[in-house]
Amino acid sequence: MKTREYIMDFIQKQKVAFIASVDEDCFPNMKAMFVPRKIEGNCFYFSTNTSSMRAQQFLKNPKASIYFYNKGRFRYEGLMLTGTVEVLQDAKIKQEIWHTGDIMYYKKGVTDPDYCVLKFTAIKGRHYCDLKTESFEVEDLR
């Protein structure tokens, strides 16, 4: 089994994360996002618009997954984590993950009501590399 350090190092090297929500008809919806702004334990923090379809779906159904991958010339590696998402409006976490360039997305700055944080909490995962797939529980990562 891969170690927690290996998995976190892999995630932090990626430039894009895919996040999936569930719509009102119970179909998965996926989109590419910037990588998490903060990782703390098994929690991953993303910034997004409060008015976005994704945030609204998470408010109705918190089930989610995130996916990271690296496609090399001869090697493909992917990591999926499944868990739940909370839509946060807490000023402290919004300030903590705010980047200066975010002003172009949120015109009113860090206090913009259309700026929120998605807190993804991983429960389990699946890792693929070198034609091998391995499932794991997040608390089992050593």
Side-chain angles (χ1 to χ4, degrees):
M1 178 188 297
K2 298 293 182 195
T3 64
R4 179 176 206 82
E5 291 76 27
Y6 179 91
I7 288 173
M8 292 305 162
D9 183 59
F10 175 77
I11 289 170
Q12 291 169 348
K13 288 179 181 174
Q14 307 318 309
K15 294 181 177 17
V16 175
F18 292 88
I19 189 165
S21 56
V22 179
D23 70 16
E24 60 278 352
D25 295 320
C26 298
F27 286 100
N29 288 215
M30 181 150 325
K31 80 175 262 180
M33 293 185 71
F34 293 118
V35 292
R37 296 275 178 92
K38 175 182 175 183
I39 301 173
E40 184 176 67
N42 63 332
C43 296
F44 300 77
Y45 297 82
F46 299 86
S47 66
T48 197
N49 295 83
T50 308
S51 62
S52 71
M53 179 182 77
R54 198 82 43 225
Q56 296 309 305
Q57 287 175 343
F58 288 131
L59 287 169
K60 293 175 185 162
N61 184 343
K63 291 182 179 178
S65 65
I66 55 177
Y67 188 78
F68 303 91
Y69 79 97
N70 182 40
K71 181 184 178 299
R73 188 169 179 171
F74 300 105
R75 183 176 191 221
Y76 178 91
E77 184 171 7
L79 176 73
M80 178 186 68
L81 297 171
T82 56
T84 58
V85 167
E86 297 171 71
V87 178
L88 305 178
Q89 286 287 353
D90 177 72
K92 184 179 178 215
I93 190 63
K94 286 171 68 171
Q95 183 67 48
E96 187 177 340
I97 72 164
W98 178 264
H99 287 179
T100 306
D102 289 343
I103 195 73
M104 80 176 170
Y105 304 109
Y106 313 107
K107 301 298 181 203
K108 297 178 183 173
V110 72
T111 60
D112 193 320
D114 198 36
Y115 166 53
C116 70
V117 175
L118 301 179
K119 177 185 176 186
F120 173 84
T121 303
I123 298 168
K124 59 185 178 177
R126 204 157 158 80
H127 178 257
Y128 171 85
C129 189
D130 297 329
L131 304 176
K132 295 180 189 123
T133 303
E134 180 177 32
S135 296
F136 57 90
E137 299 293 320
V138 169
E139 69 267 3
D140 291 341
L141 290 176
R142 309 183 242 316

